[in-house]
Amino acid sequence: SAELPVLRVCVDFPSVNSQESQAFLSSVPGNGSEFTLLLESLPRGDSPNRKTELTRIRTEILAGKGPDVFLCACYSPFTYTAMGDEATGLFPFPRQAMENRIFLPLDEYIENAEYMEWDKLLPNIMEAGRNDEGQQVLPLAYDMWIILLEKDAYTPSFDLSPTWDDLAASSDPTARMLAQNTRVYSIMGDVADYENDKLSISEEDMLDCFRRYRDQGSLSQEETPVPYVFAQITDGHITALDSCSVPLDDDAPEYWMLGEYNTTGGCTAGVSSMAAINRNTPYPQQAFRVLDRLLDKSTQGNHPLYAHLHALPVHSELYSQDAPQHGQSMSAANFQAYCELREQISVVKFNTPLDHCMIEVVRNCAPGQEDQLPSLVHEQYMKMNMMLAES
């Protein structure tokens, strides 16, 4: 209807098609009767039109206009590798966008939410979207590798919130295997100082971390770690990195669930998708209806949109037997292990282009050419500082 307020919803999820996005918007209470939600799907990273569309929307935002609602992926370094440099997200540095007052503070709207259960959303994950003005960004999902070890075969010889250095120096080959299979940007945690638009780590400390990462060495033939499975999330299901399903229900073994440990102790998690409202929207109440419905437990657990985010949900009950995640649930023992893993998360950061820069150092330092490491680190260190200064 021409009389209804029209809200533009900008969606930038590379793995979610426009039909799934439109189906979700159609489910938002009030859409079509109290207001109209207009979907704007950004082209994928490999589309020749993506850069033009990003420029258009960013120009609108700078002019105090732009879409009313943003539903965006925070691109991982592996997305950059697969889709090229044009895979930059609409907001490459969400924390900087928060500081630049692009997003609407949401606390008063969250207090009156009808669908989301704020007290059941993981607090350590949601905190990543908060600054001194309050909650501005709502993380929708987060990623971390999950290392599964059968309890019948192994009991960790280390405290379950170790530092990465503890694991790397351990005499336990399984502990060292965990250290060797941690992504370097997870080891360092959040390296950005967003208040001062620069890195929070010195170049010397970054180089030292890369050297320790490269100098771990391989396990000897006599040092055989216990069987393990590296798992990720695919279409809402926990699967091994070889895409084979990992049963975690009542018929499955009981597992220890471990994560990617950092140098300060505990695990690192990366926010992989987010939702926010344009601070300049003339319709904040209606815009919040989209976020309220999006964070609903039923939406997170059942809607195809969430299945294709390929990440872990932020609702604390999902994957339990009472609240399956896209049809998959865990036994009581494995769900308890999953909850304990989430409690080990000590660093939560948005996935940003900084992660890609750190992966580039590792990728370009060939075996036997460690003498190139200082120059490679310097190049990427300067690039990372430039990115932060320009964001």
Side-chain angles (χ1 to χ4, degrees):
S1 171
E3 292 79 19
L4 296 179
V6 176
L7 283 77
R8 296 164 57 196
V9 181
C10 178
V11 176
D12 183 24
F13 293 141
S15 301
V16 177
N17 62 46
S18 58
Q19 290 84 2
E20 291 165 343
S21 299
Q22 187 60 61
F24 164 71
L25 295 184
S26 298
S27 73
V28 175
N31 184 19
S33 58
E34 302 173 37
F35 50 85
T36 298
L37 298 177
L38 179 63
L39 172 66
E40 293 188 17
S41 290
L42 283 176
R44 284 171 50 89
D46 53 0
S47 168
N49 299 325
R50 180 173 176 81
K51 189 173 183 179
T52 301
E53 287 299 291
L54 286 175
T55 300
R56 176 182 66 81
I57 292 178
R58 288 169 179 164
T59 302
E60 290 181 1
I61 293 170
L62 288 174
K65 301 177 182 178
D68 301 271
V69 180
F70 304 105
L71 310 181
C72 300
C74 305
Y75 283 68
S76 76
F78 302 101
T79 306
Y80 284 93
T81 301
M83 302 173 72
D85 290 339
E86 295 305 324
T88 302
L90 177 61
F91 301 105
F93 296 95
R95 286 281 303 277
Q96 292 292 66
M98 290 163 58
E99 298 299 325
N100 292 336
R101 299 172 62 83
I102 291 174
F103 303 133
L104 181 72
L106 301 173
D107 287 355
E108 65 176 282
Y109 302 96
I110 291 171
E111 289 177 2
N112 299 305
E114 295 183 49
Y115 299 98
M116 72 172 68
E117 301 171 282
W118 184 256
D119 61 337
K120 294 184 179 179
L121 304 182
L122 296 171
N124 52 355
I125 304 297
M126 306 311 291
E127 185 67 23
R130 174 176 291 273
N131 68 1
D132 57 4
E133 285 193 286
Q135 194 79 33
Q136 290 192 41
V137 170
L138 299 184
L140 301 179
Y142 65 101
D143 59 34
M144 61 188 300
W145 283 0
I146 302 174
I147 300 93
L148 305 174
L149 298 161
E150 289 190 25
K151 287 190 173 183
D152 286 345
Y154 178 74
T155 298
S157 62
F158 47 86
D159 177 81
L160 287 183
S161 285
T163 67
W164 178 83
D165 296 284
D166 291 337
L167 297 177
S170 175
S171 60
D172 182 342
T174 298
R176 300 211 309 282
M177 174 275 297
L178 295 175
Q180 291 171 5
N181 286 281
T182 301
R183 295 170 289 189
V184 67
Y185 57 84
S186 295
I187 294 172
M188 295 191 202
D190 197 345
V191 298
D193 176 358
Y194 291 107
E195 291 185 4
N196 297 300
D197 299 332
K198 64 180 184 179
L199 294 173
S200 60
I201 184 174
S202 70
E203 184 175 341
E204 292 74 18
D205 287 343
M206 181 174 286
L207 175 59
D208 178 64
C209 188
F210 272 105
R211 279 179 169 150
R212 285 181 286 145
Y213 181 71
R214 289 300 303 263
D215 291 345
Q216 295 173 80
S218 302
L219 296 175
S220 68
Q221 292 183 349
E222 293 75 25
E223 295 178 310
T224 304
V226 298
Y228 60 91
V229 176
F230 275 96
Q232 59 183 355
I233 307 302
T234 305
D235 296 335
H237 288 67
I238 295 179
T239 60
L241 294 187
D242 61 4
S243 299
C244 294
S245 180
V246 181
L248 295 168
D249 55 16
D250 286 332
D251 295 327
E254 291 186 17
Y255 289 103
W256 298 103
M257 295 193 189
L258 308 175
E260 294 183 283
Y261 296 94
N262 52 58
T263 57
T264 57
C267 300
T268 300
V271 175
S272 58
S273 55
M274 52 166 271
I277 295 174
N278 191 333
R279 192 179 288 241
N280 294 311
T281 180
Y283 309 114
Q285 294 284 355
Q286 295 91 331
F288 185 74
R289 293 270 194 97
V290 178
L291 273 59
D292 193 9
R293 189 65 167 179
L294 191 61
L295 270 296
D296 177 32
K297 177 181 175 181
S298 177
T299 304
Q300 292 187 58
N302 299 298
H303 200 281
L305 184 150
Y306 267 94
H308 293 159
L309 293 184
H310 305 318
L312 293 161
V314 296
H315 197 289
S316 61
E317 295 178 355
L318 291 171
Y319 284 118
S320 69
Q321 292 184 329
D322 293 332
Q325 172 75 350
H326 298 280
Q328 187 178 50
S329 62
M330 302 180 190
S331 66
N334 282 331
F335 185 72
Q336 179 62 31
Y338 175 58
C339 293
E340 292 170 356
L341 168 62
R342 297 183 309 200
E343 292 173 0
Q344 296 173 37
I345 297 172
S346 60
V347 174
V348 179
K349 62 186 186 64
F350 289 95
N351 293 337
T352 72
L354 301 182
D355 302 331
H356 184 242
C357 291
M358 288 186 274
I359 289 294
E360 284 293 283
V361 174
V362 176
R363 190 175 68 85
N364 290 311
C365 188
Q369 298 181 339
E370 284 73 13
D371 57 327
Q372 297 181 357
L373 195 57
S375 61
L376 291 171
V377 170
H378 176 73
E379 177 186 359
Q380 295 299 330
Y381 188 87
M382 300 301 291
K383 182 178 180 179
M384 292 160 74
N385 265 325
M386 182 180 67
M387 286 178 172
L388 289 170
E390 294 177 350
S391 63

